[in-house]
Amino acid sequence: VEGRHLTMTPDDLAPLLQPKIDELNAGLAPGHNVKIAGILEESGKNNAALIATLPIVIGITFFLLIAQFGDFRRPLVIFLSLPFATFGAFLGLLIMQSPFGFMAILSLFALFGVIINNSIVLVDRIDIERNAALAEDVERPESAAKTSASREREFEAVISACRRRFRPVVMTTLTTIAGLLPLIIAQDVLFYGFASSVAFGLLVGTFVVSLGLTPVLYCLFFGIRKVDPEEEVEDSARASWWQRLTAKLPLAQRWKKA
């Protein structure tokens, strides 16, 4: 005989059934007992497998981003934002009172993929805008210090890129959340935690991470900031902390980008 609760998951039912099972075991003959197994044991194994593969997936993705962008800074900008998106997923599970089980862990993989995709699109757009802005310095030698005007154009390029990508990123997020709403409203036993985690993770990941934290980290890594239009400084004085940190490394020039 098999049965399925329509509103509670096995993880929710197990603590409620355990006292009854303990009472039943107390009246059984020696060597006999009743225990909870089946789907809960399989769920535990699956959770452990997912958690074990998460670092591998992140590592492979990181190296693919290095191959795509050609340096370490842009992948770091993208990956340093992921913990904040994870916070949104956990907040969603807490608000919606959903257990942290197999589907919730699986939702983190889906959430990371969407946030990384949004950040890649934004970072690539920032690069395009920066290159277009710096192309105006046609008479400046490559080794010469950037002027305050060129630095101002870099700063405006970051803002312009965020404005250009704002609507596509937000619309993608809202349509994804709208598709998850039926699962949340119906409180589907299997996908309720998954939908809640992804929906709240996308809200935080899009408006706080992709459109907020990612541009800030990009400016931090590349030494971009708003400057006085009349202020003229040397590159070394205005270099980012990453450039100062890697200035003496043998491969610094190889990975350095404009």
Side-chain angles (χ1 to χ4, degrees):
V1 178
E2 294 183 359
R4 176 184 177 185
H5 203 286
L6 297 179
T7 59
M8 299 181 67
T9 65
D11 292 325
D12 296 329
L13 286 172
L16 301 178
L17 294 176
Q18 192 58 48
K20 298 292 184 181
I21 294 177
D22 293 338
E23 293 179 4
L24 179 62
N25 286 333
L28 294 178
H32 296 76
N33 65 81
V34 177
K35 66 177 183 178
I36 298 177
I39 191 173
L40 288 180
E41 287 187 348
E42 294 298 326
S43 177
K45 295 178 181 178
N46 292 335
N47 291 346
L50 279 178
I51 295 175
T53 56
L54 183 59
I56 300 175
V57 173
I58 292 178
I60 294 175
T61 306
F62 186 78
F63 283 108
L64 288 176
L65 290 179
I66 293 177
Q68 175 183 347
F69 289 113
D71 73 343
F72 293 95
R73 288 177 290 180
R74 292 168 179 83
L76 282 176
V77 168
I78 295 172
F79 272 85
L80 287 177
S81 305
L82 292 182
F84 296 90
T86 305
F87 170 78
F90 291 152
L91 181 64
L93 294 176
L94 179 62
I95 293 176
M96 304 305 292
Q97 296 296 305
S98 177
F100 186 77
F102 173 77
M103 295 303 294
I105 298 176
L106 189 62
S107 69
L108 295 180
F109 286 81
L111 178 62
F112 287 168
V114 176
I115 297 301
I116 289 175
N117 179 72
N118 290 341
S119 298
I120 289 174
V121 171
L122 179 59
V123 168
D124 184 63
R125 188 66 209 182
I126 294 176
D127 286 339
I128 294 174
E129 297 282 345
R130 280 185 68 212
N131 293 335
L134 294 178
E136 299 179 16
D137 298 336
V138 292
E139 298 181 356
R140 182 179 65 87
E142 185 176 353
S143 59
K146 295 179 183 178
T147 64
S148 59
S150 64
R151 294 185 179 281
E152 183 69 20
R153 285 194 293 270
E154 279 190 298
F155 181 78
E156 293 297 331
V158 175
I159 297 177
S160 175
C162 293
R163 288 175 178 172
R164 287 175 179 269
R165 300 311 306 169
F166 178 82
R167 181 179 295 179
V169 170
V170 170
M171 291 303 298
T172 301
T173 298
L174 294 181
T175 52
T176 303
I177 294 176
L180 295 172
L181 282 179
L183 297 176
I184 298 176
I185 295 174
Q187 295 189 1
D188 184 84
V189 176
L190 182 60
F191 292 102
Y192 179 66
F194 180 94
S196 300
S197 175
V198 173
F200 279 84
L202 283 178
L203 282 176
V204 175
T206 298
F207 294 99
V208 177
V209 177
S210 295
L211 298 176
L213 184 61
T214 298
V216 172
L217 289 175
Y218 188 98
C219 291
L220 178 64
F221 273 76
F222 287 88
I224 302 173
R225 74 179 185 90
K226 188 175 180 62
V227 296
D228 188 341
E230 299 180 357
E231 184 181 6
E232 295 287 345
V233 293
E234 294 294 330
D235 255 353
S236 59
R238 200 57 84 191
S240 69
W241 68 270
W242 174 268
Q243 292 168 335
R244 295 194 299 269
L245 178 65
T246 59
K248 298 181 179 180
L249 296 179
L251 297 178
Q253 296 300 322
R254 178 180 177 183
W255 296 107
K256 185 178 180 181
K257 281 185 174 289

